[in-house]
Amino acid sequence: GQNIDQPTEMTATEGAIVQINCTYQTSGFNGLFWYQQHAGEAPTFLSYNVLDGLEEKGRFSSFLSRSKGYSYLLLKELQMKDSASYLCAVTDSNYQLIWGAGTKLIIKP
Amino acid sequence: GAVVSQHPSWVICKSGTSVKIECRSLDFQATTMFWYRQFPKQSLMLMATSNEGSKATYEQGVEKDKFLINHASLTLSTLTVTSAHPEDSSFYICSARSPGGRETQYFGPGTRLLVL
């Protein structure tokens, strides 16, 4: 079966750095996405990785290792507004998007 | 990024009525749109994949006759919840897949449905 694992909840301090991990087992791979979802709102696109390595975009970076079936989202200089759920999603060989359950990130002052 | 709109944002209706939700891609043509449902504190659940000009593909357990999907143009897909019941109360979110190699989905703002 297809499976995406990410921690259910994480807590971090304002100004700090946090890494949210995602591991996947899917039938084929055509890219990995990270989305941010604030409570009561729809998800918004953060990043896309299809090749191994680190993609940096401002305070957010996303890493991919296809051989390990592993990705992480790195958030630096955390702000209170970063409190949200972070969803990992993988596109399989049929270009179907397989969603993780999301990681709820709680930022404390 | 690409912009997707959804209308209405809030619906309150009586049990037994039908509700139509519109999803529009505003600045790109979307051959494929997706409809999701999300219950409070739960993950996104894909309901169906909507392809322009053809019938929607429904996920297992989603009633085709209850959730009618029409993708009449490259910028518009509609979801009609027929004979809504209180258990259909949920957050309905559409997304549109942008053209090109990334296959990125961009989400509409969602529609909150409350069936009394």
Side-chain angles (χ1 to χ4, degrees), chain B residues 56-59 61-69 80 82:
Chain B
T57 304
Y58 289 82
E59 295 300 301
V62 178
E63 299 175 57
K64 301 177 184 180
D65 295 332
K66 181 166 185 64
F67 298 100
L68 301 178
I69 292 172
T80 301
T82 61

Side-chain angles (χ1 to χ4, degrees), chain A residues 6-28:
Chain A
Q6 51 182 133
T8 305
E9 188 174 296
M10 298 181 71
T11 303
T13 305
E14 190 177 15
I17 299 173
V18 71
Q19 177 175 311
I20 303 174
N21 296 324
C22 171
T23 58
Y24 61 90
Q25 300 94 39
T26 56
S27 54

Side-chain angles (χ1 to χ4, degrees), chain A residues 33 35 37 40 42 95 99 101, chain B residues 36 38 43 102 105 108 112:
Chain A
F33 298 87
Y35 284 85
Q37 186 178 24
Y95 287 95
W99 291 91
Chain B
Y36 293 86
Q38 188 175 36
S43 303
R102 285 193 170 191
Q105 289 187 32
R112 295 207 173 279

Side-chain angles (χ1 to χ4, degrees), chain A residues 12-17 75-80 82 107-109:
Chain A
T13 305
E14 190 177 15
I17 299 173
L75 293 77
K76 302 176 185 176
E77 301 169 17
L78 286 170
Q79 302 175 11
M80 297 303 292
D82 298 329
I107 310 295
K108 295 186 175 180

Side-chain angles (χ1 to χ4, degrees), chain A residues 30 33 35 37 39-45 48 55 57 87 91 94-97 99-102, chain B residues 34 36 38 41-44 46 49 59 91 93 97 101-110 112:
Chain A
N30 279 302
F33 298 87
Y35 284 85
Q37 186 178 24
E41 299 180 10
T44 55
F45 170 75
Y48 170 78
E55 295 274 346
K57 192 185 292 185
L87 307 171
T91 307
N94 293 319
Y95 287 95
Q96 297 297 312
L97 200 56
W99 291 91
Chain B
F34 303 87
Y36 293 86
Q38 188 175 36
K41 297 185 180 180
Q42 293 189 23
S43 303
L44 289 170
L46 179 64
T49 302
E59 295 300 301
F91 189 38
I93 314 171
R97 191 157 68 191
R102 285 193 170 191
E103 308 289 335
T104 302
Q105 289 187 32
Y106 293 94
F107 287 84
R112 295 207 173 279

